[in-house]
Amino acid sequence: MLGGSVAALSEAYDTALLDLDGVVYAGGEAIPHAVDALAVARAGGMHLAYVTNNALRTPDAVAAHLTELGVPAEAGDVITSAQAVARLIADEVPAGSPVLVVGGEGLRVALRERGLEPVESADVPGLAAVVQGYGGPDMPWARFAEAGYAVARGVPWYASNTDLTIPGARGIGPGNGAAVEVVRIATGGVVEPKVAGKPLPPMHRETVLRTGAERPLVVGDRLDTDIEGAFNGGVDSLLVFTGVTDVAQLLAAVPEHRPTYVAADLRGLLVGQPAVVETGGEFVCGGWRASVGGGALVLEGAGDVGEGGLDVMDGVRALCGAAWAEAGAGACGLDAGKALGRLGM
C-alpha cells in the first residue's frame, strides 16, 4: 500500500534521485511544472541529483541542457548508466583494454574515465568487451552488426540499460533495450549481456557512490526501472505520471513495481501525501473510498472532482490500496475501467 508523509517530500528526504526522460524533460523540452517545482525543492535545501538510464550524452552535456531549461546543474549532479556500465567493465577487464562501443559520446567518455579504450571495430586485436548504450535515433545499422560479430565469437557483452522505450517530443520511441534485442536475435539468442542500469545493483551502487545521499527519494516515471530500482536498493520512491506509466499499469503492478508515493508531476515533491487507510474492507484516501466488488475495482467519492473538490491523485492512491491488497504478491487483474472513468481517465 502507498505510504503517507505529513511533511513535504522535499523536507522528509535529503536527496531526490531524479530520472530525466519523462520526469524533468521529454524530447529536450521541460515537462510542465518541473522547472518551478525543482527550484522550490532546491531552495528548501533538498539536494537534486539526476539519474538517467540514457547513456547518449555526457554528464557535462546533460548539466548544460538542464541549466538551459532553467534547472541549474553541474556535471557532478548527473549520474548515467554509461558511468555505471563503465565501472562494471573496468572491474572485470584489464586496464587500458579496447572496448567496442555501440552508442554515443556519453559512453565513450565514461569508458575513458575508467581507463578503457573505446573502439569502433569488432576486429581490433585484444578486444575485451562489447558495450551497448542508447545512441540516438540515427544510430547506423552497421554498428549493430559490429556488436553481433564480436558477441558471436565470445567477446563479453555489456549493456548500459535495457529500457525498451524512451519518451520523446513526438511520443514513445525505441530505447536501448530494443537495440540490445537486435544483437540478441542476430547472435541466436543464447547470450545475455551484463546490464548496469536501473533497476540493477550497479546503477544503485554508482548513485550512492556519487551522491552520498542519506535519505534518498527515487523519482521516476517507469515501474520496471525507476521504481524497481528503488525497491532493489531499499529506498522510497515517487512515481510521476508525466512519462510512460499510466494509472492502469500502476494498479496492475507487482510488489517490486509499487512506489511509496504517486503524483501527477514534480509538484508532488512540494507537498505531503495522505496515507491510505483500510477500514471495513474499503481503502480511504482524502474523500475517496475504493473497494473490490463483482470482479472489479469500485471507487466512490463524496463530491466533485477538480478545482476545490476531490483530488484525483487521492483517488488513485485509494485504488492502489484496494488493487494491491487484492493482488497480494501478484499482479492485479481486476477490471478498473469504471473506477478510472470516475477519475476522468
Side-chain angles (χ1 to χ4, degrees):
M1 193 184 304
L2 292 168
S5 172
V6 175
L9 300 184
S10 59
E11 298 172 359
Y13 298 89
D14 69 338
T15 304
L17 305 179
L18 295 135
D19 183 46
L20 288 172
D21 293 301
V23 175
V24 179
Y25 54 63
E29 297 298 323
I31 284 173
H33 310 296
V35 173
D36 290 342
L38 292 175
V40 173
R42 185 189 310 105
M46 189 178 217
H47 176 212
L48 305 180
Y50 304 94
V51 186
T52 177
N53 264 0
N54 190 333
L56 177 60
R57 295 186 293 173
T58 67
D60 281 315
V62 173
H65 180 210
L66 286 169
T67 301
E68 289 173 2
L69 293 177
V71 181
E74 299 179 356
D77 298 322
V78 180
I79 303 94
T80 74
S81 62
Q83 294 170 323
V85 77
R87 188 186 296 270
L88 180 60
I89 296 170
D91 287 345
E92 298 182 355
V93 306
S97 294
V99 177
L100 174 60
V101 175
V102 182
E105 186 62 16
L107 201 48
R108 294 181 180 86
V109 168
L111 289 168
R112 292 190 190 102
E113 286 178 347
R114 292 291 157 204
L116 300 168
E117 179 189 357
V119 299
E120 301 295 311
S121 172
D123 297 328
V124 170
L127 187 66
V130 178
V131 62
Q132 284 186 261
Y134 183 66
D138 300 321
M139 174 67 70
W141 196 255
R143 303 305 304 142
F144 303 133
E146 289 296 319
Y149 302 147
V151 171
R153 68 169 190 255
V155 177
W157 184 23
Y158 298 82
S160 63
N161 66 296
T162 52
D163 297 27
L164 290 173
T165 60
I166 185 168
R170 297 174 61 195
I172 304 299
N176 191 55
V180 168
E181 287 302 309
V182 170
V183 175
R184 190 199 312 276
I185 293 168
T187 54
V190 296
V191 182
E192 294 287 336
K194 291 185 178 180
V195 183
K198 297 178 286 187
L200 297 172
M203 190 67 174
H204 181 70
R205 174 193 178 202
E206 194 72 23
T207 300
V208 169
L209 287 172
R210 290 178 180 267
T211 65
E214 296 182 359
R215 290 178 290 112
L217 177 69
V218 170
V219 185
D221 68 308
R222 302 183 71 106
L223 301 179
D224 58 350
T225 55
D226 305 314
I227 305 309
E228 185 176 340
F231 177 89
N232 290 339
V235 299
D236 290 345
S237 60
L238 167 67
L239 178 78
V240 292
F241 292 106
T242 49
V244 302
T245 300
D246 60 28
V247 175
Q249 292 168 325
L250 176 64
L251 296 177
V254 293
E256 60 268 30
H257 292 171
R258 297 171 186 170
T260 315
Y261 311 103
V262 297
D265 52 54
L266 284 178
R267 289 176 294 179
L269 284 173
L270 310 179
V271 296
Q273 297 221 355
V276 179
V277 178
E278 182 181 5
T279 175
E282 293 185 328
F283 293 80
V284 179
C285 187
W288 294 102
R289 303 188 312 279
S291 59
V292 175
L297 288 168
V298 178
L299 183 66
E300 299 174 309
D304 296 325
V305 179
E307 190 78 23
L310 294 170
D311 186 334
V312 168
M313 284 296 107
D314 285 346
V316 171
R317 295 175 185 116
L319 283 172
C320 286
W324 297 347
E326 180 72 13
C332 179
L334 295 170
D335 181 5
K338 288 185 178 180
L340 293 179
R342 180 75 176 87
L343 295 174
M345 296 177 175

